[in-house]
Amino acid sequence: MIDLTVTPWREAAACIDVTYQVSFFPSKEDLLGIAKAKAICATCPVSDQCLSWAIESNQTEGIWGGHTSKERRTIRRGWLEEIRKAS
Ligand code: SF4
């Protein structure tokens, strides 16, 4: 469960609309499920915030900000490298 007190952007999330009936935690073999979740993320007004939060909090499961966990691992590696270089 996402803590809305630390993620207020979540209130504007497209996925908060339960009428979609799409899982944002499809298995990695469920390519259709992944595509459906990503399609909703593509319409989301807070996808940038969502992706940043998922990267920074190291979410290892699910679709966040239109990216799978594998895609986020690549982004996170770059983000951590930037932090390392800046310090
Ligand atoms: S980007 Fe996707 S997972 Fe993130 S809040 Fe928006 S719809 Fe939900």
Side-chain angles (χ1 to χ4, degrees), residues 2 5 7 11 15 17 21 24 31 39 45 52 59 61 66 85:
I2 296 171
T5 61
T7 57
E11 295 174 24
C15 58
D17 182 350
Q21 296 187 340
F24 284 79
L31 300 182
S52 294
Q59 297 301 305
E61 302 293 331
K85 285 179 184 172

Side-chain angles (χ1 to χ4, degrees), residues 21-86:
Q21 296 187 340
V22 168
S23 171
F24 284 79
F25 293 89
S27 70
K28 63 182 178 184
E29 294 83 17
D30 182 6
L31 300 182
L32 181 58
I34 291 169
K36 285 180 177 179
K38 283 186 166 191
I40 294 171
C41 292
T43 71
C44 182
V46 291
S47 60
D48 289 345
Q49 294 95 321
C50 175
L51 180 59
S52 294
W53 180 83
I55 297 294
E56 292 171 17
S57 61
N58 197 21
Q59 297 301 305
T60 58
E61 302 293 331
I63 306 293
W64 295 92
H67 292 73
T68 63
S69 57
K70 182 178 180 182
E71 293 165 342
R72 290 195 309 275
R73 276 196 299 277
T74 301
I75 296 169
R76 184 174 163 81
R77 273 195 297 274
W79 177 68
L80 291 172
E81 181 64 17
E82 283 184 26
I83 291 174
R84 189 190 64 76
K85 285 179 184 172

